[in-house]
Structures are given as C-alpha cells and as structure tokens.
Amino acid sequence: MSQQRKAPTMADVARMAGVSPMTVSRAFKSEASVKEGTRRRIRDAAEQLGYVLDSTAAGLSSRRTGFVAVTIPSINNANFAETVKGLTEGLKPAGLQILLGYTDYDTAEEERLVEQFLRRRPEAVVVTGGVHTERCRKLLSNAGVPVIETWDRPSDPLDAVVGFSNAEAAKLMVEHFVGEGYRKIAFIGGDTARDRRGLDRRHGFVEALRRRGLDDRRVLAHGVPPITMREGARAIGELLRLWPDTEAVMCVSDLSAFGALSHCQRAGLAVPRDIALAGFGAYDIAEHANPAITTIDVGARAIGLNAAETIVRLLSRRDEGHDAKRIAIEPRLIARASSLRGG
Amino acid sequence: MSQQRKAPTMADVARMAGVSPMTVSRAFKSEASVKEGTRRRIRDAAEQLGYVLDSTAAGLSSRRTGFVAVTIPSINNANFAETVKGLTEGLKPAGLQILLGYTDYDTAEEERLVEQFLRRRPEAVVVTGGVHTERCRKLLSNAGVPVIETWDRPSDPLDAVVGFSNAEAAKLMVEHFVGEGYRKIAFIGGDTARDRRGLDRRHGFVEALRRRGLDDRRVLAHGVPPITMREGARAIGELLRLWPDTEAVMCVSDLSAFGALSHCQRAGLAVPRDIALAGFGAYDIAEHANPAITTIDVGARAIGLNAAETIVRLLSRRDEGHDAKRIAIEPRLIARASSLRGG
DNA sequence: TTGAAAGCGTTACCAA
DNA sequence: TTGGTAACGCTTTCAA
C-alpha cells in the first residue's frame, strides 16, 4: 500500500519501549551491550510499529554507509554476473552490501552512474575496465575511497586493479590455432571502441599473428557492443565472402561465436572440417553447442572474490604501502571440438 | 587513490566562493534562482575542491532520496535485463535513479535485500513475482511507498501489479502443439518451488492438457533455478527414457530448450522430425539455434516501462483511487521450425 | 537573489 | 547498562 503515513523513528520506538533513543540504537547493533530484556522490549516495540532503521541517517552520523558501489557494462552477461556474485560473497563477511549499476558499455553513462553513486558515499567503488572519461577518473580519484578496476590491466590505474590482459588472452588462441595447424586465421569483433576489452583482444590477436609472420588482415568489425549472436552471424558471412579460404576464426565472445557457428551450419559448412571456430568467455552455450566451442575462461568469479578481498584489506589498514594493489587473474584456454583437427 | 582525507562539504565550497552554504545548495539545483555569476563562481569552487553533493544528507533533510529499489532474481538473464532497462528509461524523466539488487531466486534473500533497500528509504520498490516471505510482505506493506510486483499476476497483490499470467502463457503453447497435430506432449521444468513463475507455467500447461483430454503425466522437474542448458539436456534424456513416444516438449525456458535440442541432436534425433521442441522467453538463442526454437515473448521491456509509469503516477497523485493498479501484459507465441510439422 | 535558523534521524562521545 | 548532548551535511522555511 502506498499511503504516505510518516515512517516511525527511533524516538517512537524509544517512547513505546520506555527507553532513550540511544538505547534503541544500541539494541539494533549486535555487539552493543543492552540488557536482554530491554533488547527484547525494544525489538517488540519496533516490530509492532513496523520500524525500519534509517541507514541514511545512520551513515550521516557514523560516516559508514556500509555499501560498495559496483558498475558493470551489462546486466545480461554470465561473466559479469559471476564477478558480481564473487563480490557479494566476498564482501558479506565484512558487513558490506553492494549497490549495482550498469553502464551499457558507455563511458558517459558510467560517469553519470559513478557520480550518482559517489553522492551516496560508498565505502569503495568497483568499476569494470580501465577506460573512463576524464571527469570520471577525477571523480574517482577524489572520492577518498578505494577504487578497484576489474577485467583489465590498465597501464595507468586509478588505484587497485584486479584483472587480466585481454591482449594476452587472445594470444593464447592464436597459439592454439597454430598448434592445430591452421595458418589462415581471422578475428571477428565489434566495430567501435566502446568495448575496450574486446578491442584489446583484437590487438593482441593481430599482434600474435604478425609475430608469427601470418596474414593479419583477416579482421572484421561488426556491430556495437554488446556483440551478440546476430553480429557473429553477419560478420562471418562477410568474412567468408572477403576471404573464402579462411581456416580458423576467433570471435570476440562465445555469443558471437555461436552466431557464427549457426550461420556456417545453415550455409552448409561443417565446423571444424570446413572452418574452425572459437569464442571467448566460457559461456554455457560454448559447452552445449554442436560442436562444442573452444573458448577462454577468464575466471570471472575469481575477479570478484579478489576485488572483494582487496577492498576489505584496503579498508582495514589504510596506511600501508601500495603492495598487492595489482592482482593478476590467469585466463585459461578450453580446447573443444570446434577447433580441433580431429574434431 | 584511497586516502581518507575528509570530503569537502557545502560549507567549504561556500567559504571558497564567498557565499552562504544555502546559496551553494541552490546553485546545484537547476530550478533554483541564483545569479549566473554567483552560480559559476560556486561551480568553479566546487570543481576545484572536488566537491560531490552528499545525497544521503540531502535526502535526510528533504525527505526525497530520488531512487527506486529494484530486485530481480538474476543478473544473468536477458529478460530481466530488458525489464530493468525499461524501468531505467521510464524513471529517468522523473529524476529517479534505480538501485539494483538480485535475489538468486530465493525469497529469503529477497527479504534481506528488501530490508536493506528499505533502510535507504527508496521512493518506490519494484520486486519480481508475487511470492514473498511473510515478513517481506509486511515490510513492503508498511514501507509507505508504492510497491510494484512484476512478471506475475498475484491474486493477493501487495499494491500495484504489472505482469502476465504464466499459466495462460503456457496454455498458448499447448494450443500451438495441438494445432500442429501433436498429442503426446511433455513439459520440462525445475524441481523446486523457487521459481514460482516456472511452476505456474507448468500448472497452466498441465491444466490445458487435461482439458483437452490429453495425457498430462509427461512432466519432468529437474534442477534448481535458474534452469539452464545443462538441466534441459539432462531432463530430456530422462524424459525420452520414461516416455520414448513423446512427440512434443515445452521447456520452461529457451535456455533449457536449447540444452534439450543439443542433447537430442547429439543423440541422433532430428528436431522437429523425431521430436518437436519449444521454449519460453524469446531469448536470442531461440532465434539462432538450428532449427530455430518456438518460444513465447513475454514483453519484458513493456513490463519495465509500465512499472515505471505506474510509479510516477502513484508518486504524483497519491490520493486517487486504486484504478490502474493492475496492468496486464500480453505474451505472444513465436512459432518457429523446432515445432512446425513442415519444419 | 541571498542568508540565518531549525530541523531531518541517527550515532559518537562522555557521563552516570 | 543506560542516557544526554552534540554533531553528521544538507534543505526547508522564513526573513531580508
């Protein structure tokens, strides 16, 4: 019901229980010393009045808001979801709640979101990636709380970093392809700089090809992040028109890899016999597709857990050195039928 | 950087700009009347100090926190993501931000989350589904703000409702199957009551079968929500062992339908020739699978938009009657190759 | 257009 | 174990 009857306050509860507001305040913290009987009376009164603690007032007074702001690019992504779960779990023991926001892969939106969050005085901020607007960087630097950049290893970090090199991860795939005997190798990704992590993968991939003296022009950019099945399907169609002799293709994510796989099969191409395919991210679909799709597991959950641990550490002993402010996660290639010669 | 230098306040900005704190406050609201020069001086001072408004203090004073609490079961779900996007867009013009939380399909977790949110004094609360713990219901009823239940049509709503009948939606699929000539029809879903919406689909499905005098025992429950590809694959294996002559199967979601499809194909069964398949939710994968999977589009985005509109309405004219507190969304069946006789 | 005073609901701090 | 008092940083309200 949406009646605007004014919410009861501690004073109301105190009056009803016959104690001072201060005692009510204590009765709601498990550590504080309140006689058991008093505590029960207070709890009962609160229950009866439908009292709910006002944590904005509490935060104002105690200067502890008890939450960590977390921004992710998308709320429809298994990997970011895992990172958030890791964060949630890792922060729970410290009594920290997370408040979640999504940026739609847009740094301007990220800036707005970060500012909104900062106004609520989070005790730490977790952002995805290492690319932000200039103003956003400034806001975060000035916030006076720990800032964790995740999913990347920026060269000019704001504060702490928990991530991996997307470029290095993509190189794993080139090695895998080459190991399987493929030489005409292509990459399919998004066509804007919005998804910086995807762009880094492409750069790493191309560089690895170049180093091995392989043709590095087979790179196609299609669609705005999030890159989905549709973009993968369209891109591989175009790729095969431009370079029909391509032997192996890495897609920027498993979703676009599946779109590509599906397109190939509809076009009568067998995977991996006619063309090898691989994705990125170790999504469920890569495991369940026919054939199963070779991919890279980035340890999304570990990112969240490590970020949480870093926050708790930075929050407890603020003054110690800048040690362990840069945690590396190791991506891992999962070879599957879609790219195996014998597949 | 995470130094704990105390954040500057309005008083600091005021001092620097040579005005009173009150004028600083005004300078940050676009409607308030402040001389242009004064405003610029204040903005500059704020910029220089790295001042960020403290909206917890602002909310305490003005009794307007400017946010809507939103809880969804999962942050890895295209449908809920669409609903959230609809909400975000619909609330932006009203100056309302959303704060997001996820429950993992667990009403106990929902209760904890709702309580945490309520402590921050949201101006409205949006929850998914119509099933909550008793205490959660009480908390929401007492909150004194609009509460919107979505994705369902509970018979005993807390306040406003924007949703559809999952049972009715599932009946659409029975009609479709029967129309295509199938008679031995099955349903695959989750095995707990955690996902009430999935359970409702099953109930509606079974009831529709019964009404038509068809065998209604071919129902399999497998796995805990969220039901994924893996559960779909396992369940259809078991289903075909128990009732090998089954002609058509609806899965509780497109993800499990894809798992089932994949399993069938690996087992050498052709879809729909040997067995027809359908899902729920109009996920990308249903469109891109081979064959494409018949599904039901529930209008996830419309749910979010309508919920936002309802909130804005309830917030502006509080006293009017209980009209339009129950908005119906119409799910729509999308017939695809996976269930078509000619497929 | 600007300012002063009085809260908003809570907790830190000190005293009993 | 309990209570009183003074903030916390802002906006409302009224006055200039």
mmCIF file of all heavy atoms in Angstrom, chain A residues 307-341:
data_model
loop_
_atom_site.group_PDB
_atom_site.id
_atom_site.type_symbol
_atom_site.label_atom_id
_atom_site.label_comp_id
_atom_site.label_asym_id
_atom_site.label_seq_id
_atom_site.Cartn_x
_atom_site.Cartn_y
_atom_site.Cartn_z
ATOM 1 N N ALA A 307 38.625 -8.898 -5.845
ATOM 2 C CA ALA A 307 38.287 -7.486 -5.672
ATOM 3 C C ALA A 307 37.729 -7.255 -4.276
ATOM 4 O O ALA A 307 38.093 -6.283 -3.593
ATOM 5 C CB ALA A 307 37.281 -7.049 -6.730
ATOM 6 N N ALA A 308 36.868 -8.162 -3.847
ATOM 7 C CA ALA A 308 36.280 -8.033 -2.510
ATOM 8 C C ALA A 308 37.373 -8.067 -1.446
ATOM 9 O O ALA A 308 37.404 -7.238 -0.529
ATOM 10 C CB ALA A 308 35.270 -9.152 -2.273
ATOM 11 N N GLU A 309 38.268 -9.019 -1.597
ATOM 12 C CA GLU A 309 39.353 -9.162 -0.625
ATOM 13 C C GLU A 309 40.213 -7.897 -0.598
ATOM 14 O O GLU A 309 40.604 -7.412 0.471
ATOM 15 C CB GLU A 309 40.189 -10.366 -1.038
ATOM 16 C CG GLU A 309 41.085 -10.906 0.038
ATOM 17 C CD GLU A 309 42.178 -11.746 -0.580
ATOM 18 O OE1 GLU A 309 41.890 -12.855 -1.064
ATOM 19 O OE2 GLU A 309 43.324 -11.252 -0.628
ATOM 20 N N THR A 310 40.486 -7.371 -1.760
ATOM 21 C CA THR A 310 41.284 -6.148 -1.847
ATOM 22 C C THR A 310 40.587 -5.002 -1.126
ATOM 23 O O THR A 310 41.219 -4.238 -0.382
ATOM 24 C CB THR A 310 41.497 -5.767 -3.321
ATOM 25 O OG1 THR A 310 42.125 -6.870 -3.991
ATOM 26 C CG2 THR A 310 42.388 -4.536 -3.438
ATOM 27 N N ILE A 311 39.305 -4.883 -1.325
ATOM 28 C CA ILE A 311 38.546 -3.814 -0.669
ATOM 29 C C ILE A 311 38.631 -3.936 0.837
ATOM 30 O O ILE A 311 38.930 -2.965 1.542
ATOM 31 C CB ILE A 311 37.067 -3.861 -1.117
ATOM 32 C CG1 ILE A 311 36.950 -3.416 -2.576
ATOM 33 C CG2 ILE A 311 36.193 -2.994 -0.216
ATOM 34 C CD1 ILE A 311 35.594 -3.662 -3.180
ATOM 35 N N VAL A 312 38.381 -5.129 1.321
ATOM 36 C CA VAL A 312 38.403 -5.331 2.769
ATOM 37 C C VAL A 312 39.783 -4.989 3.322
ATOM 38 O O VAL A 312 39.910 -4.338 4.356
ATOM 39 C CB VAL A 312 38.020 -6.789 3.112
ATOM 40 C CG1 VAL A 312 38.218 -7.053 4.599
ATOM 41 C CG2 VAL A 312 36.574 -7.058 2.705
ATOM 42 N N ARG A 313 40.814 -5.395 2.601
ATOM 43 C CA ARG A 313 42.177 -5.107 3.039
ATOM 44 C C ARG A 313 42.452 -3.606 3.057
ATOM 45 O O ARG A 313 42.920 -3.044 4.042
ATOM 46 C CB ARG A 313 43.166 -5.823 2.113
ATOM 47 C CG ARG A 313 44.617 -5.678 2.521
ATOM 48 C CD ARG A 313 45.485 -6.753 1.884
ATOM 49 N NE ARG A 313 45.135 -7.037 0.498
ATOM 50 C CZ ARG A 313 45.427 -6.252 -0.535
ATOM 51 N NH1 ARG A 313 46.083 -5.133 -0.341
ATOM 52 N NH2 ARG A 313 45.063 -6.597 -1.763
ATOM 53 N N LEU A 314 42.119 -2.944 1.971
ATOM 54 C CA LEU A 314 42.385 -1.508 1.896
ATOM 55 C C LEU A 314 41.584 -0.728 2.932
ATOM 56 O O LEU A 314 42.026 0.300 3.439
ATOM 57 C CB LEU A 314 42.054 -0.982 0.497
ATOM 58 C CG LEU A 314 42.967 -1.466 -0.628
ATOM 59 C CD1 LEU A 314 42.470 -0.958 -1.972
ATOM 60 C CD2 LEU A 314 44.394 -1.008 -0.381
ATOM 61 N N LEU A 315 40.404 -1.233 3.242
ATOM 62 C CA LEU A 315 39.550 -0.535 4.194
ATOM 63 C C LEU A 315 40.047 -0.714 5.627
ATOM 64 O O LEU A 315 39.813 0.151 6.477
ATOM 65 C CB LEU A 315 38.122 -1.086 4.061
ATOM 66 C CG LEU A 315 37.007 -0.163 3.606
ATOM 67 C CD1 LEU A 315 37.505 0.970 2.746
ATOM 68 C CD2 LEU A 315 35.926 -0.951 2.894
ATOM 69 N N SER A 316 40.711 -1.819 5.882
ATOM 70 C CA SER A 316 41.120 -2.067 7.266
ATOM 71 C C SER A 316 42.448 -1.387 7.606
ATOM 72 O O SER A 316 42.568 -0.730 8.622
ATOM 73 C CB SER A 316 41.209 -3.567 7.528
ATOM 74 O OG SER A 316 42.101 -4.156 6.620
ATOM 75 N N ARG A 317 43.443 -1.525 6.726
ATOM 76 C CA ARG A 317 44.739 -0.893 7.059
ATOM 77 C C ARG A 317 45.089 0.085 5.955
ATOM 78 O O ARG A 317 45.791 -0.208 5.011
ATOM 79 C CB ARG A 317 45.832 -1.944 7.209
ATOM 80 C CG ARG A 317 45.661 -3.111 6.251
ATOM 81 C CD ARG A 317 46.869 -3.999 6.250
ATOM 82 N NE ARG A 317 46.860 -4.794 5.023
ATOM 83 C CZ ARG A 317 47.923 -5.361 4.512
ATOM 84 N NH1 ARG A 317 49.089 -5.217 5.071
ATOM 85 N NH2 ARG A 317 47.832 -6.072 3.409
ATOM 86 N N ARG A 318 44.551 1.285 6.138
ATOM 87 C CA ARG A 318 44.616 2.279 5.091
ATOM 88 C C ARG A 318 46.018 2.771 4.776
ATOM 89 O O ARG A 318 46.285 3.209 3.672
ATOM 90 C CB ARG A 318 43.794 3.509 5.484
ATOM 91 C CG ARG A 318 42.339 3.213 5.578
ATOM 92 C CD ARG A 318 41.566 4.508 5.585
ATOM 93 N NE ARG A 318 40.251 4.274 5.057
ATOM 94 C CZ ARG A 318 39.977 4.251 3.773
ATOM 95 N NH1 ARG A 318 40.911 4.482 2.901
ATOM 96 N NH2 ARG A 318 38.771 4.009 3.355
ATOM 97 N N ASP A 319 46.889 2.722 5.762
ATOM 98 C CA ASP A 319 48.114 3.486 5.590
ATOM 99 C C ASP A 319 49.277 2.707 5.001
ATOM 100 O O ASP A 319 50.276 3.279 4.593
ATOM 101 C CB ASP A 319 48.521 4.084 6.937
ATOM 102 C CG ASP A 319 47.417 4.956 7.478
ATOM 103 O OD1 ASP A 319 46.948 5.836 6.730
ATOM 104 O OD2 ASP A 319 46.992 4.735 8.611
ATOM 105 N N GLU A 320 49.135 1.401 4.948
ATOM 106 C CA GLU A 320 50.279 0.633 4.455
ATOM 107 C C GLU A 320 50.516 0.868 2.967
ATOM 108 O O GLU A 320 49.711 1.452 2.260
ATOM 109 C CB GLU A 320 50.052 -0.845 4.741
ATOM 110 C CG GLU A 320 49.824 -1.039 6.250
ATOM 111 C CD GLU A 320 50.124 -2.452 6.689
ATOM 112 O OE1 GLU A 320 50.660 -3.225 5.882
ATOM 113 O OE2 GLU A 320 49.836 -2.757 7.852
ATOM 114 N N GLY A 321 51.665 0.404 2.529
ATOM 115 C CA GLY A 321 52.138 0.716 1.177
ATOM 116 C C GLY A 321 51.221 0.241 0.062
ATOM 117 O O GLY A 321 50.155 -0.318 0.300
ATOM 118 N N HIS A 322 51.661 0.491 -1.108
ATOM 119 C CA HIS A 322 50.874 0.161 -2.281
ATOM 120 C C HIS A 322 51.064 -1.291 -2.706
ATOM 121 O O HIS A 322 50.973 -1.616 -3.873
ATOM 122 C CB HIS A 322 51.231 1.106 -3.426
ATOM 123 C CG HIS A 322 50.543 2.422 -3.314
ATOM 124 N ND1 HIS A 322 49.867 3.013 -4.358
ATOM 125 C CD2 HIS A 322 50.381 3.246 -2.264
ATOM 126 C CE1 HIS A 322 49.356 4.158 -3.952
ATOM 127 N NE2 HIS A 322 49.663 4.333 -2.696
ATOM 128 N N ASP A 323 51.352 -2.145 -1.759
ATOM 129 C CA ASP A 323 51.577 -3.546 -2.105
ATOM 130 C C ASP A 323 50.269 -4.229 -2.475
ATOM 131 O O ASP A 323 49.204 -3.877 -1.991
ATOM 132 C CB ASP A 323 52.221 -4.270 -0.920
ATOM 133 C CG ASP A 323 51.352 -4.163 0.323
ATOM 134 O OD1 ASP A 323 51.132 -3.030 0.776
ATOM 135 O OD2 ASP A 323 50.877 -5.201 0.805
ATOM 136 N N ALA A 324 50.382 -5.191 -3.339
ATOM 137 C CA ALA A 324 49.232 -6.017 -3.704
ATOM 138 C C ALA A 324 48.039 -5.184 -4.144
ATOM 139 O O ALA A 324 46.909 -5.469 -3.821
ATOM 140 C CB ALA A 324 48.846 -6.914 -2.534
ATOM 141 N N LYS A 325 48.334 -4.127 -4.853
ATOM 142 C CA LYS A 325 47.239 -3.340 -5.407
ATOM 143 C C LYS A 325 46.986 -3.742 -6.859
ATOM 144 O O LYS A 325 46.283 -3.067 -7.588
ATOM 145 C CB LYS A 325 47.592 -1.854 -5.334
ATOM 146 C CG LYS A 325 47.334 -1.259 -3.969
ATOM 147 C CD LYS A 325 46.800 0.131 -4.130
ATOM 148 C CE LYS A 325 46.289 0.700 -2.832
ATOM 149 N NZ LYS A 325 45.703 2.017 -3.027
ATOM 150 N N ARG A 326 47.638 -4.810 -7.277
ATOM 151 C CA ARG A 326 47.538 -5.210 -8.671
ATOM 152 C C ARG A 326 47.508 -6.715 -8.728
ATOM 153 O O ARG A 326 48.545 -7.375 -8.715
ATOM 154 C CB ARG A 326 48.763 -4.672 -9.415
ATOM 155 C CG ARG A 326 48.469 -4.191 -10.808
ATOM 156 C CD ARG A 326 49.704 -3.597 -11.446
ATOM 157 N NE ARG A 326 49.606 -3.745 -12.899
ATOM 158 C CZ ARG A 326 48.889 -2.932 -13.671
ATOM 159 N NH1 ARG A 326 48.247 -1.927 -13.143
ATOM 160 N NH2 ARG A 326 48.822 -3.149 -14.970
ATOM 161 N N ILE A 327 46.310 -7.256 -8.767
ATOM 162 C CA ILE A 327 46.168 -8.704 -8.719
ATOM 163 C C ILE A 327 45.910 -9.241 -10.120
ATOM 164 O O ILE A 327 45.028 -8.766 -10.833
ATOM 165 C CB ILE A 327 45.019 -9.097 -7.772
ATOM 166 C CG1 ILE A 327 45.397 -8.678 -6.347
ATOM 167 C CG2 ILE A 327 44.753 -10.593 -7.845
ATOM 168 C CD1 ILE A 327 44.332 -8.930 -5.331
ATOM 169 N N ALA A 328 46.703 -10.234 -10.504
ATOM 170 C CA ALA A 328 46.577 -10.802 -11.849
ATOM 171 C C ALA A 328 45.735 -12.070 -11.822
ATOM 172 O O ALA A 328 45.925 -12.943 -10.979
ATOM 173 C CB ALA A 328 47.960 -11.108 -12.411
ATOM 174 N N ILE A 329 44.799 -12.129 -12.745
ATOM 175 C CA ILE A 329 43.988 -13.330 -12.932
ATOM 176 C C ILE A 329 44.506 -14.013 -14.198
ATOM 177 O O ILE A 329 44.851 -13.338 -15.172
ATOM 178 C CB ILE A 329 42.500 -12.944 -13.102
ATOM 179 C CG1 ILE A 329 42.014 -12.126 -11.890
ATOM 180 C CG2 ILE A 329 41.639 -14.169 -13.337
ATOM 181 C CD1 ILE A 329 41.939 -12.890 -10.599
ATOM 182 N N GLU A 330 44.576 -15.331 -14.203
ATOM 183 C CA GLU A 330 45.133 -16.044 -15.365
ATOM 184 C C GLU A 330 44.044 -16.699 -16.209
ATOM 185 O O GLU A 330 43.468 -17.705 -15.813
ATOM 186 C CB GLU A 330 46.118 -17.128 -14.892
ATOM 187 C CG GLU A 330 47.436 -16.606 -14.380
ATOM 188 C CD GLU A 330 48.208 -15.806 -15.433
ATOM 189 O OE1 GLU A 330 48.005 -16.029 -16.650
ATOM 190 O OE2 GLU A 330 49.012 -14.944 -15.028
ATOM 191 N N PRO A 331 43.787 -16.163 -17.380
ATOM 192 C CA PRO A 331 42.813 -16.805 -18.265
ATOM 193 C C PRO A 331 43.325 -18.165 -18.724
ATOM 194 O O PRO A 331 44.527 -18.398 -18.769
ATOM 195 C CB PRO A 331 42.718 -15.838 -19.443
ATOM 196 C CG PRO A 331 43.231 -14.544 -18.937
ATOM 197 C CD PRO A 331 44.280 -14.896 -17.941
ATOM 198 N N ARG A 332 42.392 -19.018 -19.093
ATOM 199 C CA ARG A 332 42.724 -20.409 -19.368
ATOM 200 C C ARG A 332 41.955 -20.840 -20.623
ATOM 201 O O ARG A 332 40.752 -20.623 -20.717
ATOM 202 C CB ARG A 332 42.243 -21.219 -18.165
ATOM 203 C CG ARG A 332 42.706 -22.618 -18.017
ATOM 204 C CD ARG A 332 42.277 -23.122 -16.635
ATOM 205 N NE ARG A 332 40.832 -23.045 -16.446
ATOM 206 C CZ ARG A 332 39.967 -23.963 -16.893
ATOM 207 N NH1 ARG A 332 40.391 -25.023 -17.544
ATOM 208 N NH2 ARG A 332 38.670 -23.818 -16.688
ATOM 209 N N LEU A 333 42.680 -21.412 -21.576
ATOM 210 C CA LEU A 333 42.027 -21.840 -22.820
ATOM 211 C C LEU A 333 41.388 -23.209 -22.646
ATOM 212 O O LEU A 333 41.981 -24.108 -22.054
ATOM 213 C CB LEU A 333 43.045 -21.867 -23.953
ATOM 214 C CG LEU A 333 42.453 -22.093 -25.351
ATOM 215 C CD1 LEU A 333 43.133 -21.183 -26.364
ATOM 216 C CD2 LEU A 333 42.555 -23.541 -25.798
ATOM 217 N N ILE A 334 40.170 -23.338 -23.143
ATOM 218 C CA ILE A 334 39.472 -24.622 -23.103
ATOM 219 C C ILE A 334 39.289 -25.093 -24.545
ATOM 220 O O ILE A 334 38.486 -24.536 -25.290
ATOM 221 C CB ILE A 334 38.098 -24.488 -22.428
ATOM 222 C CG1 ILE A 334 38.256 -23.924 -21.014
ATOM 223 C CG2 ILE A 334 37.392 -25.834 -22.389
ATOM 224 C CD1 ILE A 334 36.938 -23.598 -20.332
ATOM 225 N N ALA A 335 40.065 -26.090 -24.931
ATOM 226 C CA ALA A 335 40.001 -26.577 -26.315
ATOM 227 C C ALA A 335 38.825 -27.519 -26.487
ATOM 228 O O ALA A 335 38.641 -28.445 -25.700
ATOM 229 C CB ALA A 335 41.303 -27.283 -26.661
ATOM 230 N N ARG A 336 38.030 -27.248 -27.507
ATOM 231 C CA ARG A 336 36.872 -28.107 -27.751
ATOM 232 C C ARG A 336 36.786 -28.450 -29.239
ATOM 233 O O ARG A 336 37.570 -27.965 -30.057
ATOM 234 C CB ARG A 336 35.589 -27.399 -27.302
ATOM 235 C CG ARG A 336 35.533 -27.095 -25.810
ATOM 236 C CD ARG A 336 34.112 -27.212 -25.288
ATOM 237 N NE ARG A 336 34.016 -26.920 -23.846
ATOM 238 C CZ ARG A 336 33.662 -25.748 -23.334
ATOM 239 N NH1 ARG A 336 33.376 -24.742 -24.133
ATOM 240 N NH2 ARG A 336 33.569 -25.594 -22.028
ATOM 241 N N ALA A 337 35.796 -29.241 -29.571
ATOM 242 C CA ALA A 337 35.686 -29.796 -30.932
ATOM 243 C C ALA A 337 35.689 -28.747 -32.040
ATOM 244 O O ALA A 337 36.188 -29.010 -33.136
ATOM 245 C CB ALA A 337 34.431 -30.654 -31.028
ATOM 246 N N SER A 338 35.172 -27.559 -31.760
ATOM 247 C CA SER A 338 35.003 -26.583 -32.838
ATOM 248 C C SER A 338 36.307 -26.142 -33.483
ATOM 249 O O SER A 338 36.298 -25.504 -34.544
ATOM 250 C CB SER A 338 34.267 -25.353 -32.315
ATOM 251 O OG SER A 338 35.132 -24.565 -31.524
ATOM 252 N N SER A 339 37.431 -26.465 -32.841
ATOM 253 C CA SER A 339 38.699 -26.018 -33.411
ATOM 254 C C SER A 339 39.745 -27.126 -33.470
ATOM 255 O O SER A 339 40.896 -26.870 -33.798
ATOM 256 C CB SER A 339 39.260 -24.862 -32.575
ATOM 257 O OG SER A 339 39.630 -25.337 -31.296
ATOM 258 N N LEU A 340 39.334 -28.340 -33.143
ATOM 259 C CA LEU A 340 40.305 -29.441 -33.126
ATOM 260 C C LEU A 340 40.339 -30.147 -34.477
ATOM 261 O O LEU A 340 39.297 -30.469 -35.043
ATOM 262 C CB LEU A 340 39.962 -30.428 -32.005
ATOM 263 C CG LEU A 340 40.060 -29.838 -30.589
ATOM 264 C CD1 LEU A 340 39.658 -30.863 -29.542
ATOM 265 C CD2 LEU A 340 41.466 -29.322 -30.316
ATOM 266 N N ARG A 341 41.526 -30.404 -34.961
ATOM 267 C CA ARG A 341 41.693 -31.052 -36.262
ATOM 268 C C ARG A 341 40.948 -32.382 -36.334
ATOM 269 O O ARG A 341 40.316 -32.710 -37.326
ATOM 270 C CB ARG A 341 43.192 -31.315 -36.525
ATOM 271 C CG ARG A 341 43.908 -30.134 -37.101
ATOM 272 C CD ARG A 341 43.311 -29.758 -38.446
ATOM 273 N NE ARG A 341 44.201 -28.794 -39.104
ATOM 274 C CZ ARG A 341 43.867 -28.133 -40.201
ATOM 275 N NH1 ARG A 341 42.676 -28.288 -40.747
ATOM 276 N NH2 ARG A 341 44.710 -27.292 -40.735
#
